[in-house]
Amino acid sequence: SPNAPEFYDLCDELGIYVIDEANIESHGYITSLCHDSRYLAAWMDRGTRMVQRDKNHASIIAWSLGNESGYGAHHDALAAWIRNYDPSRPLHYEGAIMGWWDRPQSATDLLCPMYPEIAEIVAWSKNAAGSLNGDLPLIMCEYSHAMGNSNGTLGEYWDAIEANHGLQGGFIWEFWDHGLRQQLPDGTERWAYGGDFGDEPNSGSFCIDGVVWPDRTPKPAMYEHKALASPIAVEARGVTGAQRGALRITNKQDFTDLKWLRCEYEILVDGVAVARGKASLPEVAPGKSAAWSIPYVLPLAPKGAEGFLALKFMTARDTEWSERGFTVAHLQIPIALRSERSAEPRPLVERVEISGETVTAGSVQATFGGGESGLTALSINGVDLIDGGPTLSLFRAPTDNDEIRPMRGMPTPAARWRRWGIDSLLAKPGNMQFRRMGDAVTARQSIEWIGNDGVAFLHKRRFEFDASGVLRVHEELSVPERCNDLPRVGVHLNLPSSLDHLEWYGLGPHETYPDRARGAAIGRYSTRVADEYVPYIRPQEHGHHTQTRWCALSNGRQGLLISAPELFGFS
């Protein structure tokens, strides 16, 4: 807990729940100091001073006996003192149940595991009635490690928390990156961390583990948490409710109605807003739901177009923590659109021409070869669109959490990938085989990718180039059974640097991943390639966009549009 009294004053004023934790941690000696009588006085001194200092703060709902300091007689002594001095608040201590959730003990009133798996907390909820500590509320003392590009599966944790009795949430470790501004000899600045000042020993980037940067700017993961902490939930009433504007709204707050909020809506067709308006919110008591109707008219849309009702909830007035108009939550509900008559399809180019390994369809030309990409050139009107064709991509820059050892003696995920050799696979490409099929030409190729220690991947690829100038690429990969945790399965495409205009239809605007996509919105986004860089303090994988319908890269005149039969990701 911070020593700054202003923090507790703010929490009192804003209504933020606080578990006040004693400044006790003996991580390096976790099994010994809690039993060593020479440390008892220090243990008691730190815990009792905290309680006496902060006892009158209404924001404090529980006392914590410390963090990562084992479990011994010192904890029981401190727990007894606090229970006698302040019987009004429960106690929290993870060490008392560490590795033994139904352990007989008297030091904690909360079941507070550290980094449990989702399946563990769900199983506990379902079987708690038969457990010694089954009546304790489960609040994870830490459950999502915000180091670098991380916080995956926050949404899945909250699906479990909201669906299962007794699961009350948890604490993300932690709020902000503890980087220090450092000026380098060339005049540039960076956020520095362990070792950057010549300090030895150090813990490297282990202090760079927050959901905001050192200057408190939110990281992409913070938007994920914001969406999951939304005070409002909205769903359609019935199968066709969203089309008719018939909704159900739930107030997820415990004490407050919705009068402090206002709502605006948009109707999106393939990511573009075609109608918008304001929606009056009904009266909804805390924890309750109510029917809600928005009287909008659905527009006609091209056949197959995708529709969403996008809702944005904002503060209706200035608050103690925000200005009027601050966006508190945005929600999107799929809607079926009314289809207009579809346009006539564009006529195909009359014929695909083949000359050696070069295939031409009107202004589009492709050249194939027998290398690891299979495609050596692609152009439109003589303008090159690629520097190198699609190659297998199984590796990515490891994240900070990829480099953390899961248990003593086990290899890190990144070390395992390197041991398999997927960061330096050797390609053994087969010859390209051509075949004309009606108004299209196909080219097939097989490639064996060799790693380390007998690891090998069989990769089959088929190109289809039709008379409309569309190039379809079919990829098939056989993965060895032991390589069950690949960091990526995809293709890598080298493009000219002139194609720096980026547009996409999918989740955005910030980066998203398959396990961290709740905080983004479906829409059409336009930016430049350089702006996709996410400045993680220790450089690592970044800038991915999942649930993409299509993306396009161009020089402002010509370019590539990439789509797939199903939703895909790109970076």
Side-chain angles (χ1 to χ4, degrees), residues 375-437:
L375 181 69
T376 60
L378 182 67
S379 64
I380 182 169
N381 292 320
V383 177
D384 290 332
L385 298 179
I386 65 169
D387 283 343
T391 57
L392 182 66
S393 176
L394 301 183
F395 194 67
R396 55 164 172 75
T399 65
D400 282 337
N401 280 342
D402 290 332
E403 301 281 16
I404 295 177
R405 196 176 304 280
M407 292 181 64
R408 191 179 301 275
M410 290 181 63
T412 69
R416 190 166 59 249
W417 303 332
R418 295 186 184 102
R419 188 180 66 206
W420 294 335
I422 62 169
D423 58 333
S424 56
L425 293 173
L426 176 66
K428 291 186 175 180
N431 294 328
M432 191 71 65
Q433 298 177 336
F434 291 91
R435 183 181 178 186
R436 179 184 287 279
M437 300 179 63

